Amino acid sequence: MTCTTCGTQVLVEKRSLPHTTVQWTSPTTRCPELAGCAPAGVAVCTRLRASIEEALREGRLRVTGGDG
């Protein structure tokens, strides 16, 4: 999956509608929300979240199990 804002690529898995797993495959330096931030336990970018939700609505990302 690629963020539509900054182009950062991540791996995404949806096991249910509320459950999303994101694996960052590169540094967050291109992300305008996370660049320059101290490393955190969970990196969250609202723009990436919006890209994931858009992909789900458009059928480019599917829920793989659970209540989806």
Side-chain angles (χ1 to χ4, degrees), residues 1-2 4 51-62:
M1 157 120 315
T2 302
T4 58
S51 296
I52 292 169
E53 294 303 320
E54 178 182 316
L56 187 61
R57 283 191 306 275
E58 293 179 351
R60 294 181 285 122
L61 179 65
R62 300 175 73 182

Side-chain angles (χ1 to χ4, degrees), residues 3-52:
C3 178
T4 58
T5 300
C6 69
T8 297
Q9 293 187 338
V10 296
L11 301 177
V12 178
E13 181 179 34
K14 293 280 296 173
R15 290 193 177 178
S16 66
L17 291 178
H19 179 270
T20 305
T21 301
V22 175
Q23 180 179 353
W24 293 84
T25 59
S26 61
T28 59
T29 54
R30 291 177 50 191
C31 175
E33 290 191 40
L34 300 177
C37 293
V42 178
V44 177
C45 172
T46 59
R47 296 169 189 189
L48 177 62
R49 169 68 58 194
S51 296
I52 292 169

